[in-house]
PDB file of all heavy atoms in Angstrom:
ATOM      1  N   TRP A  53      29.958-108.062 -78.794  1.00  0.00           N
ATOM      2  CA  TRP A  53      30.338-109.227 -79.658  1.00  0.00           C
ATOM      3  C   TRP A  53      31.376-108.797 -80.638  1.00  0.00           C
ATOM      4  O   TRP A  53      31.907-109.618 -81.406  1.00  0.00           O
ATOM      5  CB  TRP A  53      29.162-109.900 -80.310  1.00  0.00           C
ATOM      6  CG  TRP A  53      28.268-110.340 -79.192  1.00  0.00           C
ATOM      7  CD1 TRP A  53      27.075-109.776 -78.832  1.00  0.00           C
ATOM      8  CD2 TRP A  53      28.532-111.427 -78.250  1.00  0.00           C
ATOM      9  NE1 TRP A  53      26.588-110.359 -77.671  1.00  0.00           N
ATOM     10  CE2 TRP A  53      27.471-111.377 -77.327  1.00  0.00           C
ATOM     11  CE3 TRP A  53      29.555-112.321 -78.087  1.00  0.00           C
ATOM     12  CZ2 TRP A  53      27.358-112.271 -76.257  1.00  0.00           C
ATOM     13  CZ3 TRP A  53      29.501-113.244 -77.045  1.00  0.00           C
ATOM     14  CH2 TRP A  53      28.419-113.206 -76.141  1.00  0.00           C
ATOM     15  N   TYR A  58      37.825-112.577 -76.964  1.00  0.00           N
ATOM     16  CA  TYR A  58      38.826-113.406 -76.293  1.00  0.00           C
ATOM     17  C   TYR A  58      38.516-114.893 -76.545  1.00  0.00           C
ATOM     18  O   TYR A  58      37.329-115.258 -76.813  1.00  0.00           O
ATOM     19  CB  TYR A  58      38.900-113.145 -74.825  1.00  0.00           C
ATOM     20  CG  TYR A  58      37.567-113.284 -74.071  1.00  0.00           C
ATOM     21  CD1 TYR A  58      37.186-114.551 -73.653  1.00  0.00           C
ATOM     22  CD2 TYR A  58      36.702-112.250 -73.895  1.00  0.00           C
ATOM     23  CE1 TYR A  58      35.984-114.712 -72.953  1.00  0.00           C
ATOM     24  CE2 TYR A  58      35.491-112.411 -73.250  1.00  0.00           C
ATOM     25  CZ  TYR A  58      35.150-113.680 -72.795  1.00  0.00           C
ATOM     26  OH  TYR A  58      33.952-113.820 -72.143  1.00  0.00           O
ATOM     27  N   ARG A  62      31.505-116.754 -75.467  1.00  0.00           N
ATOM     28  CA  ARG A  62      30.248-117.190 -76.054  1.00  0.00           C
ATOM     29  C   ARG A  62      29.086-116.747 -75.236  1.00  0.00           C
ATOM     30  O   ARG A  62      29.251-116.316 -74.105  1.00  0.00           O
ATOM     31  CB  ARG A  62      30.227-118.711 -76.250  1.00  0.00           C
ATOM     32  CG  ARG A  62      30.294-119.551 -74.992  1.00  0.00           C
ATOM     33  CD  ARG A  62      30.182-121.104 -75.279  1.00  0.00           C
ATOM     34  NE  ARG A  62      31.318-121.555 -75.976  1.00  0.00           N
ATOM     35  CZ  ARG A  62      31.142-122.044 -77.335  1.00  0.00           C
ATOM     36  NH1 ARG A  62      30.004-122.071 -77.900  1.00  0.00           N
ATOM     37  NH2 ARG A  62      32.175-122.518 -77.941  1.00  0.00           N
ATOM     38  N   VAL A  63      27.906-116.858 -75.794  1.00  0.00           N
ATOM     39  CA  VAL A  63      26.688-116.403 -75.050  1.00  0.00           C
ATOM     40  C   VAL A  63      26.359-117.378 -73.901  1.00  0.00           C
ATOM     41  O   VAL A  63      26.775-118.582 -74.007  1.00  0.00           O
ATOM     42  CB  VAL A  63      25.410-116.333 -75.963  1.00  0.00           C
ATOM     43  CG1 VAL A  63      25.571-115.183 -76.918  1.00  0.00           C
ATOM     44  CG2 VAL A  63      25.150-117.608 -76.687  1.00  0.00           C
ATOM     45  N   ASP A  64      25.653-116.954 -72.919  1.00  0.00           N
ATOM     46  CA  ASP A  64      25.182-117.924 -71.916  1.00  0.00           C
ATOM     47  C   ASP A  64      23.666-117.911 -71.834  1.00  0.00           C
ATOM     48  O   ASP A  64      23.103-118.574 -70.941  1.00  0.00           O
ATOM     49  CB  ASP A  64      25.882-117.793 -70.568  1.00  0.00           C
ATOM     50  CG  ASP A  64      25.673-116.365 -69.967  1.00  0.00           C
ATOM     51  OD1 ASP A  64      24.915-115.605 -70.566  1.00  0.00           O
ATOM     52  OD2 ASP A  64      26.313-116.080 -68.964  1.00  0.00           O
ATOM     53  N   LEU A 151      27.662-103.275 -69.922  1.00  0.00           N
ATOM     54  CA  LEU A 151      28.945-103.939 -69.605  1.00  0.00           C
ATOM     55  C   LEU A 151      29.855-103.664 -70.786  1.00  0.00           C
ATOM     56  O   LEU A 151      30.148-104.506 -71.620  1.00  0.00           O
ATOM     57  CB  LEU A 151      28.698-105.451 -69.461  1.00  0.00           C
ATOM     58  CG  LEU A 151      27.883-105.890 -68.246  1.00  0.00           C
ATOM     59  CD1 LEU A 151      27.327-107.284 -68.401  1.00  0.00           C
ATOM     60  CD2 LEU A 151      28.714-105.744 -66.971  1.00  0.00           C
ATOM     61  N   PRO A 157      42.543-103.414 -62.716  1.00  0.00           N
ATOM     62  CA  PRO A 157      42.811-103.281 -61.258  1.00  0.00           C
ATOM     63  C   PRO A 157      43.490-101.939 -60.968  1.00  0.00           C
ATOM     64  O   PRO A 157      44.246-101.418 -61.780  1.00  0.00           O
ATOM     65  CB  PRO A 157      43.808-104.414 -61.031  1.00  0.00           C
ATOM     66  CG  PRO A 157      43.689-105.306 -62.179  1.00  0.00           C
ATOM     67  CD  PRO A 157      43.229-104.547 -63.330  1.00  0.00           C
ATOM     68  N   ALA A 158      43.298-101.491 -59.772  1.00  0.00           N
ATOM     69  CA  ALA A 158      43.923-100.193 -59.388  1.00  0.00           C
ATOM     70  C   ALA A 158      45.414-100.360 -59.055  1.00  0.00           C
ATOM     71  O   ALA A 158      46.111 -99.420 -58.894  1.00  0.00           O
ATOM     72  CB  ALA A 158      43.179 -99.624 -58.143  1.00  0.00           C
ATOM     73  N   ILE A 190      43.997-112.391 -64.549  1.00  0.00           N
ATOM     74  CA  ILE A 190      43.448-111.827 -63.333  1.00  0.00           C
ATOM     75  C   ILE A 190      41.938-111.741 -63.502  1.00  0.00           C
ATOM     76  O   ILE A 190      41.463-111.140 -64.456  1.00  0.00           O
ATOM     77  CB  ILE A 190      44.014-110.408 -63.063  1.00  0.00           C
ATOM     78  CG1 ILE A 190      45.548-110.400 -63.020  1.00  0.00           C
ATOM     79  CG2 ILE A 190      43.429-109.864 -61.723  1.00  0.00           C
ATOM     80  CD1 ILE A 190      46.145-109.028 -62.864  1.00  0.00           C
ATOM     81  N   GLY A 191      41.200-112.456 -62.638  1.00  0.00           N
ATOM     82  CA  GLY A 191      39.738-112.347 -62.689  1.00  0.00           C
ATOM     83  C   GLY A 191      39.146-113.705 -63.009  1.00  0.00           C
ATOM     84  O   GLY A 191      39.562-114.381 -63.952  1.00  0.00           O
ATOM     85  N   THR A 192      38.127-114.074 -62.241  1.00  0.00           N
ATOM     86  CA  THR A 192      37.416-115.297 -62.475  1.00  0.00           C
ATOM     87  C   THR A 192      35.943-115.116 -62.514  1.00  0.00           C
ATOM     88  O   THR A 192      35.133-115.852 -61.957  1.00  0.00           O
ATOM     89  CB  THR A 192      37.827-116.322 -61.361  1.00  0.00           C
ATOM     90  OG1 THR A 192      37.578-115.674 -60.101  1.00  0.00           O
ATOM     91  CG2 THR A 192      39.234-116.792 -61.502  1.00  0.00           C
ATOM     92  N   GLY A 193      35.460-114.029 -63.185  1.00  0.00           N
ATOM     93  CA  GLY A 193      34.045-113.797 -63.495  1.00  0.00           C
ATOM     94  C   GLY A 193      33.730-114.683 -64.782  1.00  0.00           C
ATOM     95  O   GLY A 193      34.498-115.539 -65.201  1.00  0.00           O
ATOM     96  N   SER A 194      32.672-114.353 -65.437  1.00  0.00           N
ATOM     97  CA  SER A 194      32.249-115.100 -66.655  1.00  0.00           C
ATOM     98  C   SER A 194      33.314-115.073 -67.715  1.00  0.00           C
ATOM     99  O   SER A 194      33.638-116.045 -68.380  1.00  0.00           O
ATOM    100  CB  SER A 194      30.939-114.492 -67.252  1.00  0.00           C
ATOM    101  OG  SER A 194      29.943-114.551 -66.291  1.00  0.00           O
ATOM    102  N   SER A 195      33.962-113.838 -67.887  1.00  0.00           N
ATOM    103  CA  SER A 195      34.982-113.772 -68.943  1.00  0.00           C
ATOM    104  C   SER A 195      36.155-114.604 -68.605  1.00  0.00           C
ATOM    105  O   SER A 195      36.669-115.340 -69.410  1.00  0.00           O
ATOM    106  CB  SER A 195      35.461-112.291 -69.128  1.00  0.00           C
ATOM    107  OG  SER A 195      34.332-111.437 -69.362  1.00  0.00           O
ATOM    108  N   GLY A 196      36.684-114.481 -67.342  1.00  0.00           N
ATOM    109  CA  GLY A 196      37.821-115.246 -66.910  1.00  0.00           C
ATOM    110  C   GLY A 196      37.586-116.763 -67.013  1.00  0.00           C
ATOM    111  O   GLY A 196      38.458-117.475 -67.570  1.00  0.00           O
ATOM    112  N   GLN A 198      35.539-118.393 -68.883  1.00  0.00           N
ATOM    113  CA  GLN A 198      35.550-118.847 -70.365  1.00  0.00           C
ATOM    114  C   GLN A 198      36.977-118.898 -70.931  1.00  0.00           C
ATOM    115  O   GLN A 198      37.338-119.844 -71.574  1.00  0.00           O
ATOM    116  CB  GLN A 198      34.664-117.893 -71.198  1.00  0.00           C
ATOM    117  CG  GLN A 198      33.158-118.090 -70.863  1.00  0.00           C
ATOM    118  CD  GLN A 198      32.311-117.217 -71.826  1.00  0.00           C
ATOM    119  OE1 GLN A 198      32.738-116.162 -72.338  1.00  0.00           O
ATOM    120  NE2 GLN A 198      31.006-117.599 -71.971  1.00  0.00           N
ATOM    121  N   ARG A 215      40.397-113.515 -56.930  1.00  0.00           N
ATOM    122  CA  ARG A 215      40.061-112.842 -55.718  1.00  0.00           C
ATOM    123  C   ARG A 215      38.842-113.490 -55.105  1.00  0.00           C
ATOM    124  O   ARG A 215      38.853-113.954 -53.940  1.00  0.00           O
ATOM    125  CB  ARG A 215      39.806-111.309 -55.940  1.00  0.00           C
ATOM    126  CG  ARG A 215      39.801-110.591 -54.654  1.00  0.00           C
ATOM    127  CD  ARG A 215      39.961-109.070 -54.851  1.00  0.00           C
ATOM    128  NE  ARG A 215      38.912-108.543 -55.779  1.00  0.00           N
ATOM    129  CZ  ARG A 215      38.871-107.250 -56.187  1.00  0.00           C
ATOM    130  NH1 ARG A 215      39.863-106.442 -55.825  1.00  0.00           N
ATOM    131  NH2 ARG A 215      37.887-106.828 -56.901  1.00  0.00           N
ATOM    132  N   THR A 216      37.699-113.537 -55.809  1.00  0.00           N
ATOM    133  CA  THR A 216      36.508-114.167 -55.278  1.00  0.00           C
ATOM    134  C   THR A 216      36.126-115.280 -56.179  1.00  0.00           C
ATOM    135  O   THR A 216      35.929-115.153 -57.355  1.00  0.00           O
ATOM    136  CB  THR A 216      35.395-113.157 -55.266  1.00  0.00           C
ATOM    137  OG1 THR A 216      35.802-111.910 -54.727  1.00  0.00           O
ATOM    138  CG2 THR A 216      34.182-113.667 -54.529  1.00  0.00           C
ATOM    139  N   LYS A 333      26.106-112.835 -57.347  1.00  0.00           N
ATOM    140  CA  LYS A 333      26.968-112.429 -58.406  1.00  0.00           C
ATOM    141  C   LYS A 333      26.488-113.221 -59.584  1.00  0.00           C
ATOM    142  O   LYS A 333      26.138-114.431 -59.445  1.00  0.00           O
ATOM    143  CB  LYS A 333      28.451-112.846 -58.081  1.00  0.00           C
ATOM    144  CG  LYS A 333      29.201-111.872 -57.262  1.00  0.00           C
ATOM    145  CD  LYS A 333      30.589-112.469 -57.075  1.00  0.00           C
ATOM    146  CE  LYS A 333      31.424-111.629 -56.161  1.00  0.00           C
ATOM    147  NZ  LYS A 333      32.006-110.467 -56.781  1.00  0.00           N
ATOM    148  N   ARG A 334      26.459-112.645 -60.754  1.00  0.00           N
ATOM    149  CA  ARG A 334      26.046-113.365 -61.958  1.00  0.00           C
ATOM    150  C   ARG A 334      26.921-114.615 -62.095  1.00  0.00           C
ATOM    151  O   ARG A 334      28.130-114.513 -62.250  1.00  0.00           O
ATOM    152  CB  ARG A 334      26.179-112.448 -63.115  1.00  0.00           C
ATOM    153  CG  ARG A 334      25.915-113.059 -64.500  1.00  0.00           C
ATOM    154  CD  ARG A 334      24.417-113.290 -64.693  1.00  0.00           C
ATOM    155  NE  ARG A 334      24.003-112.934 -66.036  1.00  0.00           N
ATOM    156  CZ  ARG A 334      24.444-113.497 -67.171  1.00  0.00           C
ATOM    157  NH1 ARG A 334      25.442-114.371 -67.127  1.00  0.00           N
ATOM    158  NH2 ARG A 334      23.982-113.117 -68.317  1.00  0.00           N
ATOM    159  N   LEU A 355      44.080-114.540 -54.206  1.00  0.00           N
ATOM    160  CA  LEU A 355      44.421-113.135 -53.884  1.00  0.00           C
ATOM    161  C   LEU A 355      43.920-112.731 -52.507  1.00  0.00           C
ATOM    162  O   LEU A 355      44.274-111.682 -51.982  1.00  0.00           O
ATOM    163  CB  LEU A 355      43.916-112.220 -54.984  1.00  0.00           C
ATOM    164  CG  LEU A 355      44.507-112.422 -56.357  1.00  0.00           C
ATOM    165  CD1 LEU A 355      43.918-111.429 -57.327  1.00  0.00           C
ATOM    166  CD2 LEU A 355      46.047-112.296 -56.332  1.00  0.00           C
ATOM    167  N   ALA A 383      40.937-109.990 -66.881  1.00  0.00           N
ATOM    168  CA  ALA A 383      39.555-110.410 -67.069  1.00  0.00           C
ATOM    169  C   ALA A 383      38.773-109.773 -65.854  1.00  0.00           C
ATOM    170  O   ALA A 383      38.051-110.466 -65.135  1.00  0.00           O
ATOM    171  CB  ALA A 383      39.428-111.889 -67.051  1.00  0.00           C
ATOM    172  N   THR A 384      39.051-108.456 -65.695  1.00  0.00           N
ATOM    173  CA  THR A 384      38.680-107.779 -64.497  1.00  0.00           C
ATOM    174  C   THR A 384      37.330-106.973 -64.628  1.00  0.00           C
ATOM    175  O   THR A 384      37.080-106.140 -63.753  1.00  0.00           O
ATOM    176  CB  THR A 384      39.803-106.893 -64.025  1.00  0.00           C
ATOM    177  OG1 THR A 384      40.360-106.145 -65.120  1.00  0.00           O
ATOM    178  CG2 THR A 384      40.967-107.701 -63.410  1.00  0.00           C
ATOM    179  N   GLY A 385      36.550-107.248 -65.660  1.00  0.00           N
ATOM    180  CA  GLY A 385      35.213-106.712 -65.723  1.00  0.00           C
ATOM    181  C   GLY A 385      35.120-105.226 -66.108  1.00  0.00           C
ATOM    182  O   GLY A 385      35.983-104.699 -66.788  1.00  0.00           O
ATOM    183  N   PHE A 386      34.066-104.629 -65.674  1.00  0.00           N
ATOM    184  CA  PHE A 386      33.580-103.357 -66.218  1.00  0.00           C
ATOM    185  C   PHE A 386      33.182-102.374 -65.160  1.00  0.00           C
ATOM    186  O   PHE A 386      32.719-102.782 -64.042  1.00  0.00           O
ATOM    187  CB  PHE A 386      32.391-103.661 -67.074  1.00  0.00           C
ATOM    188  CG  PHE A 386      32.557-104.600 -68.215  1.00  0.00           C
ATOM    189  CD1 PHE A 386      32.366-105.969 -67.945  1.00  0.00           C
ATOM    190  CD2 PHE A 386      32.953-104.170 -69.506  1.00  0.00           C
ATOM    191  CE1 PHE A 386      32.580-106.898 -68.989  1.00  0.00           C
ATOM    192  CE2 PHE A 386      33.199-105.150 -70.427  1.00  0.00           C
ATOM    193  CZ  PHE A 386      33.015-106.437 -70.224  1.00  0.00           C
ATOM    194  N   TRP A 496      28.988-106.330 -59.743  1.00  0.00           N
ATOM    195  CA  TRP A 496      28.912-105.147 -60.735  1.00  0.00           C
ATOM    196  C   TRP A 496      27.503-104.623 -60.763  1.00  0.00           C
ATOM    197  O   TRP A 496      27.289-103.473 -61.090  1.00  0.00           O
ATOM    198  CB  TRP A 496      29.450-105.592 -62.065  1.00  0.00           C
ATOM    199  CG  TRP A 496      28.715-106.743 -62.783  1.00  0.00           C
ATOM    200  CD1 TRP A 496      29.177-107.937 -62.940  1.00  0.00           C
ATOM    201  CD2 TRP A 496      27.490-106.610 -63.514  1.00  0.00           C
ATOM    202  NE1 TRP A 496      28.302-108.712 -63.661  1.00  0.00           N
ATOM    203  CE2 TRP A 496      27.202-107.877 -64.046  1.00  0.00           C
ATOM    204  CE3 TRP A 496      26.588-105.580 -63.806  1.00  0.00           C
ATOM    205  CZ2 TRP A 496      26.097-108.181 -64.797  1.00  0.00           C
ATOM    206  CZ3 TRP A 496      25.421-105.884 -64.607  1.00  0.00           C
ATOM    207  CH2 TRP A 496      25.248-107.124 -65.066  1.00  0.00           C
ATOM    208  N   ASN A 501      32.083-103.407 -57.615  1.00  0.00           N
ATOM    209  CA  ASN A 501      33.392-103.747 -58.159  1.00  0.00           C
ATOM    210  C   ASN A 501      34.204-102.509 -58.610  1.00  0.00           C
ATOM    211  O   ASN A 501      35.352-102.627 -59.025  1.00  0.00           O
ATOM    212  CB  ASN A 501      33.208-104.728 -59.395  1.00  0.00           C
ATOM    213  CG  ASN A 501      32.474-104.049 -60.539  1.00  0.00           C
ATOM    214  OD1 ASN A 501      31.597-103.228 -60.311  1.00  0.00           O
ATOM    215  ND2 ASN A 501      32.874-104.340 -61.766  1.00  0.00           N
TER     216      ASN A 501
HETATM  217  P1  NAP B   1      33.149-109.619 -63.549  1.00  0.00           P
HETATM  218  O1  NAP B   1      32.082-110.673 -63.396  1.00  0.00           O
HETATM  219  O2  NAP B   1      33.090-108.350 -62.900  1.00  0.00           O
HETATM  220  O3  NAP B   1      34.491-110.337 -63.052  1.00  0.00           O
HETATM  221  C1  NAP B   1      35.639-109.680 -62.907  1.00  0.00           C
HETATM  222  C2  NAP B   1      36.691-110.521 -62.164  1.00  0.00           C
HETATM  223  O4  NAP B   1      37.842-109.785 -61.932  1.00  0.00           O
HETATM  224  C3  NAP B   1      36.159-110.926 -60.781  1.00  0.00           C
HETATM  225  O5  NAP B   1      36.667-112.239 -60.517  1.00  0.00           O
HETATM  226  C4  NAP B   1      36.842-109.885 -59.916  1.00  0.00           C
HETATM  227  O6  NAP B   1      37.060-110.311 -58.561  1.00  0.00           O
HETATM  228  C5  NAP B   1      38.162-109.760 -60.578  1.00  0.00           C
HETATM  229  N1  NAP B   1      38.813-108.510 -60.301  1.00  0.00           N
HETATM  230  C6  NAP B   1      38.306-107.267 -60.569  1.00  0.00           C
HETATM  231  N2  NAP B   1      39.169-106.305 -60.106  1.00  0.00           N
HETATM  232  C7  NAP B   1      40.192-106.978 -59.572  1.00  0.00           C
HETATM  233  C8  NAP B   1      41.362-106.571 -58.807  1.00  0.00           C
HETATM  234  N3  NAP B   1      41.693-105.287 -58.663  1.00  0.00           N
HETATM  235  N4  NAP B   1      42.223-107.574 -58.326  1.00  0.00           N
HETATM  236  C9  NAP B   1      41.831-108.838 -58.499  1.00  0.00           C
HETATM  237  N5  NAP B   1      40.756-109.285 -59.070  1.00  0.00           N
HETATM  238  C10 NAP B   1      39.928-108.365 -59.631  1.00  0.00           C
HETATM  239  O7  NAP B   1      33.519-109.351 -65.117  1.00  0.00           O
HETATM  240  P2  NAP B   1      33.322-110.318 -66.351  1.00  0.00           P
HETATM  241  O8  NAP B   1      33.840-111.671 -66.066  1.00  0.00           O
HETATM  242  O9  NAP B   1      33.877-109.641 -67.534  1.00  0.00           O
HETATM  243  O10 NAP B   1      31.770-110.473 -66.517  1.00  0.00           O
HETATM  244  C11 NAP B   1      30.877-109.325 -66.354  1.00  0.00           C
HETATM  245  C12 NAP B   1      29.502-109.707 -66.820  1.00  0.00           C
HETATM  246  O11 NAP B   1      29.522-109.785 -68.205  1.00  0.00           O
HETATM  247  C13 NAP B   1      29.058-111.092 -66.387  1.00  0.00           C
HETATM  248  O12 NAP B   1      28.530-111.088 -65.072  1.00  0.00           O
HETATM  249  C14 NAP B   1      27.965-111.352 -67.379  1.00  0.00           C
HETATM  250  O13 NAP B   1      26.819-110.717 -67.107  1.00  0.00           O
HETATM  251  C15 NAP B   1      28.633-110.747 -68.631  1.00  0.00           C
HETATM  252  N6  NAP B   1      29.420-111.800 -69.408  1.00  0.00           N
HETATM  253  C16 NAP B   1      28.694-112.769 -69.968  1.00  0.00           C
HETATM  254  C17 NAP B   1      29.351-113.744 -70.630  1.00  0.00           C
HETATM  255  C18 NAP B   1      28.652-114.855 -71.234  1.00  0.00           C
HETATM  256  O14 NAP B   1      28.859-115.942 -70.885  1.00  0.00           O
HETATM  257  N7  NAP B   1      27.729-114.587 -72.121  1.00  0.00           N
HETATM  258  C19 NAP B   1      30.736-113.739 -70.743  1.00  0.00           C
HETATM  259  C20 NAP B   1      31.411-112.723 -70.127  1.00  0.00           C
HETATM  260  C21 NAP B   1      30.776-111.705 -69.471  1.00  0.00           C
HETATM  261  P3  NAP B   1      35.915-109.916 -57.433  1.00  0.00           P
HETATM  262  O15 NAP B   1      34.752-110.708 -57.733  1.00  0.00           O
HETATM  263  O16 NAP B   1      36.616-110.200 -56.182  1.00  0.00           O
HETATM  264  O17 NAP B   1      35.671-108.453 -57.620  1.00  0.00           O
END
Side-chain angles (χ1 to χ4, degrees):
W53 302 104
Y58 58 85
R62 63 177 63 249
V63 292
D64 58 8
L151 293 161
I190 306 177
T192 53
S194 300
S195 305
Q198 289 183 335
R215 191 164 62 184
T216 311
K333 275 179 184 282
R334 173 75 137 60
L355 298 179
T384 44
F386 302 88
W496 61 257
N501 63 324

